[in-house]
Amino acid sequence: MAHHVTSSEPDYTSQLQADVTPGKLDGMKYPDFTDIQPQVASLYDMRDFDAIWVKNGKPTAQASAMLSEFSNAIKRGLRPEDYDASKWQERVANLKSPEGAASFDVALTVNAMRFVSDLHMGRANPAHFTFGIKGYDDRKIDAAAILNNQVVDASDVTKALDSVEPQALQYGQLKTVLAHYLDLEPQDHSTPLPEIDAKAKTVPLTAGYPAMQSLQQKLALLGDLSTGGDPNASADINTVTDALKHFQHRHGIAEDGKLGHDVVVALNTPITARVTQIADSMERWRWLNDNYQNASIMVNLPEFQLRAFEGTGADHHEVFRMNVVDGASSDDTHHTPMIADQMKYLVFRPYWNVPPSIAKKEIIPHMQKQPGYLEAKNYETVDLKGQPASPDMNRIAQGTVMVRQKAGNSNSLGLVKFMFPNQFNVYLHDTNEKALFTRTRRDYSHGCVRVQDPPKLADWVLRDNPKWDADTIAEAMANGDDNKSVSLPKPIPVVIFYSTAWSDDGEIHFFKDMYGYDADLEKTLDGGRPYPQKPMKAVTEKDA
C-alpha cells in the first residue's frame, strides 16, 4: 500500500529516482542491478517513490529485520556478503542526509530483491551445469510484488521469507541441520587424526590407537558417540567401535568399525566443509518447482539410493527405497547429470541400442580382435530403420549402422527400462550385473541409473493400471514380447538429484562429491553476480 509524504518526512523522491534509474549504485558489492532495475522501479512506483525502509531518519522495523537476515544469510544456506552484510552499519550512520537515506533505501531494496529471488529459485542457473531441470524457468517470481505485499509492512519478516523458500520436507530438515552445524563450528577443537594411505588395508580399532582421544572428541561432537554430557569422558573400545560404525553409516562408508583412508578423511573433514555441503544441497532444492519438490521418484546420486514417495504436501512420505548404480565418476563423460522430468512409459525386454560413441570406442576394438564378438555377446546390427544390416565396421563408426543387443537375460539393460525422455538419453533400468548392488560405492554405468529391484519399481509405477500386477510383470520380463512399451496411466515426476548432504529421519548423512558438482557450484558462486546462465559444456549422450 502506498503511503504519502507527510510534512515531517523529507521528500526523497528525486534522490530515489536518481539512484534507481541507472540500474547501478556505487558502494554495493555488486553495484550493477540492471537485470532487476524494472522490478526495483516498479516497487518504488507502487509506493509513490517514497522511502520504503526509512522513517524519521531511522531504519523501519522491517528494514532492521532484513539487515539481520542479511547478516545471518548463512543460516538459509546463502552468503552474507552477497547482500552487503558488512556495509550496513556505515549506511545507517549516513541516514541523516537525504543522499545517504536514499542510497540506503535503494541498496536495501536491491539486496532484498536478490535475497528473495535467491531463496526461491537459487542463484546459479542449473542449465549452466548442463543439467536438465524441467520447470526451472517457472520458478521466476515477482520480487517487487512479494516485497510490497509480504515484507515491507510485515509484522514478521522472517516468516514472510520462510514462505518463499522451498517447502519440501528435506529442505526444511537440511536447514535445521545447518543451524546445528553452524553451532558446532566454534566447538570443534579436536586434533586431526593421522592420515592413512589410500592403498593401506583398514585396521581394527584398538585401545592402543594413538589418536584415541581425538577420535572420541570428534565422534562425540558429531553425535555418533554418547558421552553422557561430559565431552572428556572416556568410553570403552567396543562403544567407540560402535560409534565409528555409526559414523561410517552416515558417510556412505562400509560399516566395519575399522580405520581406513576413507573414514579418516571423513573424520578430518572440517565442520565448515560440511556447512558448505548442506548449503550446496539446499541450493539445488531451490531449482525444483513444486511438482518436483514432491516428486514420486527421487534418486540421490552420491548416496546411490532411489526413494519412492506417495502423497503431496505435508502428506508426502517415503514408501520404499532401493540401491542404484550411477554413472562412473572416473570418466567425466559418464557422469549422471541432474534431471527433473516426467516418467511416461516403460519397456519390457528392451533392446540395448548401443550409442554410436560407445560402439566406436568399445565395440569396434573388440570386433577387430575377436571375429565372432557380436554373436558371442548377443549383439546384432541394424540400419537406422531397425532392419537387419551387415556388420560393416566403417558404417558402424560412421553411425549409419547401429549395434544393438538383443533382449533377454544377458542384455545390459536387463529386462525392463523406465523412460522419462530427456536430452541426455538417461533412464532407469534393470541390469545383468546384480553383484554391483552389494558394494558400498556404486558408480559403474555409462551414465544411466541401474535399479536393484526393477519388478518392485515396475509394479509400483503401474499400480493404477488394472492390467498389471506382480505376476503379469514377471511374465512380461521372462517370456513376453521383446521391446514392449507400456504407457503409464499418468506421467510420474522423477528427480535425479545430487545432494552430498541428506537428512534421513533427523540424522544427517554426508557423501563424497564424486562428480565434483559441489566444487563446480562453489566455483560458480565464487565468481559472483551476474551468475552465468549458459551451459558450460555440451550435452554428452549417456546410455546404459
Side-chain angles (χ1 to χ4, degrees), residues 411-428:
N411 187 289
S412 296
L413 307 184
L415 296 169
V416 61
K417 63 178 182 176
F418 303 83
M419 304 300 288
F420 39 100
N422 57 76
Q423 78 234 56
F424 308 99
N425 205 21
V426 162
Y427 43 86
L428 306 177

Side-chain angles (χ1 to χ4, degrees), residues 270-423:
I271 301 285
T272 47
R274 299 304 187 197
V275 164
T276 301
Q277 282 182 265
I278 298 166
D280 288 347
S281 300
M282 288 169 70
E283 175 74 1
R284 295 191 187 99
W285 275 101
R286 300 183 190 116
W287 297 343
L288 303 179
N289 70 22
D290 295 348
N291 197 20
Y292 293 116
Q293 284 186 8
N294 285 314
S296 304
I297 294 174
M298 194 139 201
V299 173
N300 187 22
L301 296 168
E303 188 184 7
F304 309 107
Q305 283 283 315
L306 175 152
R307 290 174 174 84
F309 295 91
E310 289 174 8
T312 53
D315 184 39
H316 187 63
H317 61 281
E318 183 183 322
V319 282
F320 62 84
R321 65 177 75 175
M322 63 180 68
N323 290 347
V324 297
V325 171
D326 314 336
S329 57
S330 52
D331 175 346
D332 66 3
T333 61
H334 294 154
H335 292 178
T336 308
M338 256 188 79
I339 299 172
D341 220 310
Q342 302 280 327
M343 185 184 291
K344 295 187 172 145
Y345 64 99
L346 44 88
V347 180
F348 288 116
R349 300 183 62 81
Y351 298 126
W352 177 38
N353 297 302
V354 180
S357 57
I358 297 176
K360 199 169 170 179
K361 201 161 109 183
E362 299 178 26
I363 304 273
I364 291 177
H366 284 300
M367 290 172 71
Q368 288 164 337
K369 280 186 203 151
Q370 189 185 337
Y373 176 77
L374 291 182
E375 295 77 26
K377 294 290 182 185
N378 212 23
Y379 289 119
E380 57 189 0
T381 42
V382 293
D383 63 18
L384 298 180
K385 291 181 179 159
Q387 298 303 313
S390 65
D392 181 315
M393 286 188 231
N394 289 333
R395 291 184 65 196
I396 292 169
Q398 290 160 2
T400 55
V401 164
M402 303 293 290
V403 177
R404 81 178 178 197
Q405 197 173 29
K406 296 176 198 171
N409 287 319
S410 62
N411 187 289
S412 296
L413 307 184
L415 296 169
V416 61
K417 63 178 182 176
F418 303 83
M419 304 300 288
F420 39 100
N422 57 76
Q423 78 234 56

Side-chain angles (χ1 to χ4, degrees), residues 53-107:
W53 309 98
V54 180
K55 197 157 185 147
N56 302 326
K58 291 186 178 138
T60 63
Q62 291 82 359
S64 299
M66 277 310 308
L67 299 189
S68 170
E69 284 286 347
F70 297 154
S71 298
N72 292 308
I74 185 58
K75 291 184 177 171
R76 295 184 186 270
L78 301 175
R79 300 177 172 194
E81 277 312 304
D82 285 355
Y83 313 97
D84 289 353
S86 60
K87 298 176 182 277
W88 294 106
Q89 207 174 343
E90 188 185 341
R91 286 180 187 145
V92 170
N94 292 331
L95 280 179
K96 297 284 178 271
S97 75
E99 297 80 12
S103 81
F104 168 88
D105 208 80
V106 175

